[in-house]
Amino acid sequence: MDMNIVELENYFVSLNEKKFKALQVFEWLYIHREKDINNFSNLKKELRDKLKNDFKYDFITIKKYETGKDVKKYLFELSDHNYVEAVLMYHDYGKSVCISSQVGCNMGCKFCESGRLKKVRNLETYEMVEQILLIEEDIKDRIQRIVIMGIGEPFDNYDNVINFLRIVNHPKGLGIGARHITVSTCGLVPKIKEFSDLDLQVNLALSLHAPNDTIRNKIMPISKVYTISQVMDAIKEYLAKNNRRVTIEYVMLNMVNDSDECAYELASLLKGLNVYVNLIPYNETNNLDFKKSQRINEFKDILLKMGINATVRREFGGSISAACGQLRSKEV
Ligand code: SAH
């Protein structure tokens, strides 16, 4: 269902019903995992019928999955026969799921497979929640962490993504702590600013991928809309309002952004900010020309020497095309 708890409470109040009915609905949906509104037995029949009329209560299905080492990739079919993917990862600290937020993507990052299909539509809130519910049902276990780093730009589907966050974070929803959830954006400045004012302690990650506009312009079309200095100002605003460390994602592309000069320039751009750099080994795809950089450790060492926290992202799922930037909105 597409409503967060506050909207659902307001809905019941507008019907002259008690607010707590919203919590009961949440319990049916997310604790009992009941799919048939007729079985919401503590709501009277008129109310159940009204709910059925007033809400979209649709489902997505697992079309297929593939497994690799510590990873399982799911292809979901939506009710209008579009497709998205999500990835379950087993870490030593628990299970995390990387979910998609749109069918296709309009950001057009040159190195990313997901954007080769232009955006078809935004995912509805329930379509994001269901990715998690279906995976939990499949593995008969709970997941501990969520990253919104699959297909799509979450801040280009802002309202539904925020609704999703409220549902998964709510104790009567999926009860996943905000600190265990990360939203990644390619840098939509107005939305980063909106996100800064939100009363949710969800982690923010920025896909920066270049230390200057010249390089960023070559690989990320969004940088023609928002310059690095505008993006970094928005990040500074976020940091000033939230006491949360921001992740800077930096995909290491051979001969594009992996030189020593780039590392020094990145270090001076980030100096003094409460951020850490997550260096992403590039996952090559058959369709795109970029090559994986072999200089990740040298690059990391320069950042560390310059006082910038840096880690290298663990490589997951490459063998089944389930790694960063390899997910697609396609059946085959
Ligand atoms: N649109 C959002 C969410 C996608 S997150 C964003 O841009 O942040 C997926 C991350 O993987 C992004 O940092 C993206 O730039 C990166 N990525 C894309 N293609 C990749 C590839 N082939 N190899 C490694 N990382 C890639």
Side-chain angles (χ1 to χ4, degrees):
M1 212 173 270
D2 268 337
M3 288 215 151
N4 70 37
I5 194 83
V6 176
E7 290 169 326
L8 208 51
E9 283 173 352
N10 292 339
Y11 168 81
F12 281 114
V13 169
S14 75
L15 300 177
N16 271 328
E17 294 285 345
K18 292 271 188 294
K19 241 182 170 176
F20 71 80
K21 296 237 161 6
L23 267 181
Q24 293 179 326
V25 170
F26 253 49
E27 285 177 4
W28 282 115
L29 292 171
Y30 304 118
I31 293 181
H32 306 308
R33 314 265 162 126
E34 177 55 60
K35 292 203 162 140
D36 185 351
I37 294 181
N38 292 318
N39 294 336
F40 292 11
S41 55
N42 51 6
L43 299 181
K44 45 186 196 286
K45 177 150 189 333
E46 300 92 276
L47 214 47
R48 296 199 299 253
D49 290 342
K50 186 124 187 54
L51 276 177
K52 277 190 270 177
N53 278 330
D54 292 346
F55 293 102
K56 192 148 154 205
Y57 191 43
D58 233 334
F59 302 102
I60 70 173
T61 53
I62 297 177
K63 179 80 180 176
K64 70 174 187 206
Y65 58 79
E66 277 174 83
T67 42
K69 186 177 168 349
D70 294 336
V71 64
K72 187 163 180 180
K73 177 173 77 165
Y74 294 81
L75 177 75
F76 296 104
E77 182 167 4
L78 313 179
S79 59
D80 61 359
H81 308 298
N82 277 305
Y83 294 93
V84 290
E85 293 185 317
V87 179
L88 165 71
M89 286 162 281
Y90 294 89
H91 306 269
D92 37 12
Y93 53 79
K95 286 172 274 307
S96 72
V97 169
C98 172
I99 69 150
S100 293
S101 57
Q102 298 179 317
V103 178
C105 180
N106 273 349
M107 300 302 122
C109 300
K110 297 275 192 290
F111 46 83
C112 179
E113 180 73 26
S114 302
R116 290 204 309 128
L117 176 70
K118 288 280 154 249
K119 176 169 104 175
V120 176
R121 67 173 176 84
N122 285 329
L123 291 192
E124 301 291 341
T125 302
Y126 80 87
E127 292 171 320
M128 291 181 265
V129 177
E130 285 239 315
Q131 293 175 54
I132 309 286
L133 291 179
L134 286 178
I135 291 176
E136 288 192 341
E137 201 175 292
D138 178 53
I139 61 171
K140 299 187 179 48
D141 201 357
R142 303 299 309 269
I143 61 126
Q144 285 78 37
R145 283 171 195 269
I146 299 177
V147 297
I148 312 184
M149 297 190 183
I151 302 160
E153 166 50 46
F155 282 179
D156 184 37
N157 183 14
Y158 189 80
D159 292 345
N160 291 345
V161 164
I162 300 305
N163 236 347
F164 164 82
L165 295 175
R166 294 203 185 282
I167 289 173
V168 292
N169 179 234
H170 198 280
K172 296 276 162 134
L174 296 185
I176 295 176
R179 289 180 164 70
H180 290 178
I181 306 173
T182 303
V183 181
S184 177
T185 178
C186 66
L188 304 188
V189 167
K191 296 300 174 192
I192 296 176
K193 293 187 173 181
E194 245 182 88
F195 192 74
S196 304
D197 290 322
L198 215 62
D199 56 337
L200 267 175
Q201 294 294 306
V202 170
N203 302 307
L204 178 65
L206 170 72
S207 293
L208 186 61
H209 303 326
N212 60 52
D213 288 322
T214 314
I215 298 177
R216 205 164 189 256
N217 279 337
K218 288 188 191 141
I219 53 178
M220 297 178 74
I222 191 65
S223 80
K224 306 220 166 75
V225 184
Y226 304 111
T227 61
I228 289 187
S229 113
Q230 289 170 319
V231 175
M232 290 315 296
D233 281 350
I235 294 294
K236 285 174 195 159
E237 188 176 324
Y238 173 91
L239 288 169
K241 290 179 177 167
N242 297 272
N243 191 21
R244 310 226 21 85
R245 190 162 70 156
V246 170
T247 306
I248 303 293
E249 294 165 281
Y250 195 100
V251 63
M252 293 290 292
L253 302 167
N254 182 44
M255 308 281 284
V256 175
N257 63 358
D258 65 343
S259 66
D260 287 358
E261 295 71 42
C262 283
Y264 285 111
E265 203 177 347
L266 183 64
S268 70
L269 183 71
L270 302 177
K271 191 91 207 149
L273 299 178
N274 185 20
V275 298
Y276 86 96
V277 177
N278 196 210
L279 296 170
I280 312 179
Y282 181 61
N283 299 300
E284 295 178 4
T285 87
N286 291 335
N287 306 304
L288 305 166
D289 284 339
F290 294 91
K291 291 273 167 282
K292 179 176 184 163
S293 167
Q294 303 302 326
R295 309 196 66 252
I296 301 193
N297 286 329
E298 288 95 318
F299 199 92
K300 184 177 102 179
D301 289 345
I302 294 177
L303 292 177
L304 294 177
K305 189 177 78 189
M306 299 301 288
I308 305 292
N309 284 317
T311 53
V312 177
R313 184 174 288 181
R314 184 177 157 196
E315 291 178 81
F316 262 107
S319 63
I320 55 168
S321 295
C324 308
Q326 294 184 322
L327 302 185
R328 304 192 303 163
S329 294
K330 269 204 205 137
E331 191 187 353
V332 281

